[in-house]
Amino acid sequence: MKTWIQNGHVLDPLTGTDKVCDVLVSGSRIEKVGTDTEIHDSLKGQEDVQKLDAKGCYVMPGFIDLHVHLRDPGLTYKETLKTGGEAAARGGVTTMCAMPNTKPVIDTKEKVEEVHRRAKEESPVHIIQLGAITVGEEGKELADLKGMAEAGCIAVSEDGKSVMGSAIYREAMKLAAKYGLKVFAHCEEIDLRKDPDTGEDGVMNKCSRSEELGLPGITNSVEDIITARDIFLAKDTGVHLHLCHCSTKGTVDLMRMAKEEGISVTAEVCPHHFTLTADDITEDNGRFKMNPPLRETKDVEALRQGLKEGIMDAISTDHAPHSEEEKNVPMRKAAFGIVGLETSASLTYTELVETGILTPMQMAERMSLAPAKILGFDDKGSVSEGKAADIVVFDPSREYEIDTDTFRSMGKNTPFDGWKVKGDVKYTLVDGKLVYQNEAYNE
């Protein structure tokens, strides 16, 4: 079966292709990018061809989400490999990295292999299972880094917390570099997460709004201190460090310094952190509780500028599904995290492209090519001949209202329910197979 994507505007951040043309997919690869006539001639009368109309749409390389929580194994009342994969396909995500803080924690070769085996059977998109840095994410004993590297986990992370012991973390970084693993860092000085005035565990950013709402706050220094530590440890050990869910101006400043120093470090920003501020929290509602928290306007402006300049490399979601019982409660009782796989592309287009901060090509670069490079993938992140046929057809003109009732994810926990956005995924292809088709175009 071949697939002919017709009349779309191809955006390829690898080759710089930025024009209306057609794409022919054969099997799991892109066979040809060219004019209608060129594709027609190359088919030589073949009739078994699936045609997809991409008129008015961007044809981009499939998005790669470096940071998701799929809750599988052990917490499948929140999400599964199947439902998470379906949510990813809905959002144009063709490859995603699953964090290891499941139950049990993914900290051995065998556990990585089992998730990878199941993912191939159950998920419509590619899933890369990351491994924990320490056994059980307890920060005491190093996990099986060598074995997990052999199982293809690509990176290790203690996401959900930081490895607080600098000595064991440094040893982990040295071994990760030896075995070709990246380190994905959740930067949080856990001993400082309490509100400095009340001593209570923080639930939102420490600022005037937290005081107005009477809620305990988390300062920017909680992130900035560990970000600085991790950057300098990466410099010492030579490992590639990737900073997850960056939220502060301080982190952007540190990233600029690190890149000027030539340190091997990259960083991601989530849509909620470049879209919302703490001032958007108008009530004590658990749907706004996330870690790191929504910050202030100066932080959002710095994150946006960092993405514009490429100081901040990638856009990821930190997709964190929870049950309604865990989120539909006051912030002190709510779990941290929101879902994002199905809203990321639309929020990025609405908040960054429509406002002129990013070009459509830069959107494709931040959401696909840059993550592909971070993971070391040569065959993804591009719509060019010979590359993997992981493709998203994105309609920049479609306006709609985010509705959690339509989510493929089991998680409905988002502050964006009811938001009006512009730009939506029309088709998603993974290895040349159509895994998502937007039903709105059949109405």
Side-chain angles (χ1 to χ4, degrees), residues 146-210:
K146 182 175 184 293
M148 292 188 294
E150 293 170 349
C153 73
I154 299 182
V156 289
S157 179
E158 209 90 329
D159 191 66
K161 61 178 75 173
S162 295
V163 178
M164 293 310 304
S166 296
I168 192 171
Y169 196 31
R170 178 172 178 165
E171 182 62 23
M173 286 186 168
K174 289 168 63 177
L175 288 175
K178 177 180 178 180
Y179 300 133
L181 293 167
K182 282 78 174 167
V183 170
F184 281 30
H186 171 111
C187 295
E188 179 184 27
E189 171 50 81
I190 194 65
D191 291 336
L192 296 180
R193 201 169 78 182
K194 294 182 181 299
D195 186 297
D197 295 325
T198 68
E200 190 179 357
D201 286 339
V203 298
M204 66 172 291
N205 187 63
K206 178 71 172 175
C207 58
S208 59
R209 181 49 57 89
S210 65

